[in-house]
Amino acid sequence: MKKYTVITGASSGIGYESALAFAARGKNLIIVARRTEELEKLKSEIGKLNSDLDVIIKAADLSLVKNAYNLYEGLKEYEIETWINNAGFGNFASVGEQNLAKIESMLNLNIEALTILTSLYVRDYSTVEGTQVINVSSGGGYTIIGNAITYCATKFYVSAFTEGLAHELKEKGAKMQAKVLAPAATETEFAKVSYDLEENIKFEGVLPKYHTAKEMAGFMLELYDSEKVVGKVDGITYEFQLLDPLYPYATRLERQD
């Protein structure tokens, strides 16, 4: 039976480049995003790399939480060896001035959909050898940025949730690995969406240090290949580091009757 790698948020940026990187490894893919046209373009590019790969397109707006359940249910016929929750977006505004409709969508996507999809995947595959769930957080999931407090809070959740899951799986002797990727500034559509701009921001000549989406996809593969839990870009040096969990962790409290 064919095995598949699922990548959400695959229509652009890190998700798009990660799909190409995993395709170069000979992985069959299930690519997920809102924009079907962009997914079709990605499928065409993957076909140029390896026409023998099976690429399944699933259009879904995961900021509507019911769609997370529908997506997972629609993949029951496939055997999934890796699940990458990359879909997410940011927001730059003070807490008192932020657009709450946008914030609600961000919370739904960055936290709720990711939690639902991770939980369902763990429920079905934690005992399967070689499986991995990789959740994309941010450097803002380990450092609070002053004009992006709510966004950072969502990514603190992603980091803590995934690191905690990694501990839990290890304690249970599960065969699945849980990992978190934490990029710093990356040349994607992220800034455009965060600032509600019409066009993408050009990074070259503006930011002193940043990574391309292709470079981050390379880091994704390094994390995938490693036994470490955290793949994090240092916010000062911009070096990529493979690390053990960073958050303090206390073993679970047993119920006392």
Side-chain angles (χ1 to χ4, degrees):
M1 187 175 182
K2 290 182 179 179
K3 296 181 179 181
Y4 291 83
T5 295
V6 175
I7 303 177
T8 70
S11 60
S12 66
I14 295 171
Y16 182 98
E17 293 294 344
S18 294
L20 292 175
F22 276 86
R25 289 276 188 96
K27 302 294 186 181
N28 298 304
L29 292 161
I30 299 171
I31 50 177
V32 184
R34 291 177 297 116
R35 298 176 292 182
T36 304
E37 183 178 345
E38 298 304 315
L39 292 177
E40 293 285 2
K41 292 177 183 177
L42 173 56
K43 182 175 181 178
S44 177
E45 289 301 310
I46 293 169
K48 295 175 186 177
L49 283 175
N50 187 340
S51 60
D52 293 330
L53 294 181
D54 194 17
V55 180
I56 309 297
I57 287 175
K58 292 289 183 179
D61 180 357
L62 295 175
S63 68
L64 302 175
V65 176
K66 66 178 182 179
N67 290 342
Y69 288 102
N70 293 339
L71 169 65
Y72 192 84
E73 187 62 31
L75 300 181
K76 288 286 191 178
E77 64 184 285
Y78 304 103
E79 184 175 347
I80 300 167
E81 64 177 347
T82 306
W83 190 292
I84 299 173
N85 284 309
N86 169 72
F89 67 86
N91 184 70
F92 291 116
S94 68
V95 171
E97 297 176 348
Q98 58 191 1
N99 179 333
L100 290 180
K102 181 180 179 183
I103 294 302
E104 183 177 0
S105 292
M106 184 176 72
L107 294 172
N108 290 345
L109 181 59
N110 293 12
I111 294 177
E112 291 191 58
L114 177 141
T115 304
I116 289 164
L117 292 170
T118 300
S119 300
L120 291 171
Y121 183 59
V122 170
R123 185 176 298 173
D124 287 344
Y125 285 92
S126 64
T127 60
V128 179
E129 189 70 47
T131 55
Q132 292 193 35
V133 57
I134 302 175
N135 290 329
V136 177
S137 179
S138 167
Y142 292 95
T143 301
I144 299 172
I145 301 167
N147 64 338
I149 291 170
T150 307
Y151 167 70
C152 289
T154 70
K155 292 303 186 177
F156 265 73
Y157 176 88
V158 173
S159 297
F161 172 71
T162 311
E163 287 191 16
L165 173 59
H167 284 294
E168 180 181 284
L169 292 170
K170 185 176 181 180
E171 288 175 352
K172 291 184 174 181
K175 295 179 179 179
M176 177 183 288
Q177 293 177 290
K179 300 175 180 179
V180 56
L181 181 71
T186 307
E187 193 174 31
T188 66
E189 294 180 350
F190 177 83
K192 174 185 174 183
V193 175
S194 298
Y195 284 112
D196 297 315
L197 302 174
E198 294 295 327
E199 297 182 358
N200 285 327
I201 292 176
K202 292 184 179 179
F203 280 40
E204 188 174 357
V206 177
L207 294 181
K209 293 182 180 180
Y210 64 92
H211 289 113
T212 65
K214 188 173 183 177
E215 287 173 325
M216 282 308 310
F219 297 153
M220 175 84 77
L221 282 180
E222 287 186 40
L223 178 62
Y224 174 81
D225 289 336
S226 80
E227 295 298 317
K228 296 295 186 179
V229 171
V230 179
K232 182 176 179 292
V233 174
D234 184 281
I236 298 174
T237 66
Y238 270 64
E239 292 180 359
F240 182 65
Q241 305 166 316
L242 291 169
L243 305 164
D244 293 321
L246 298 173
Y247 284 118
Y249 179 75
T251 55
R252 64 181 182 176
L253 298 175
E254 297 294 341
R255 178 177 174 179
Q256 300 295 320
D257 293 323

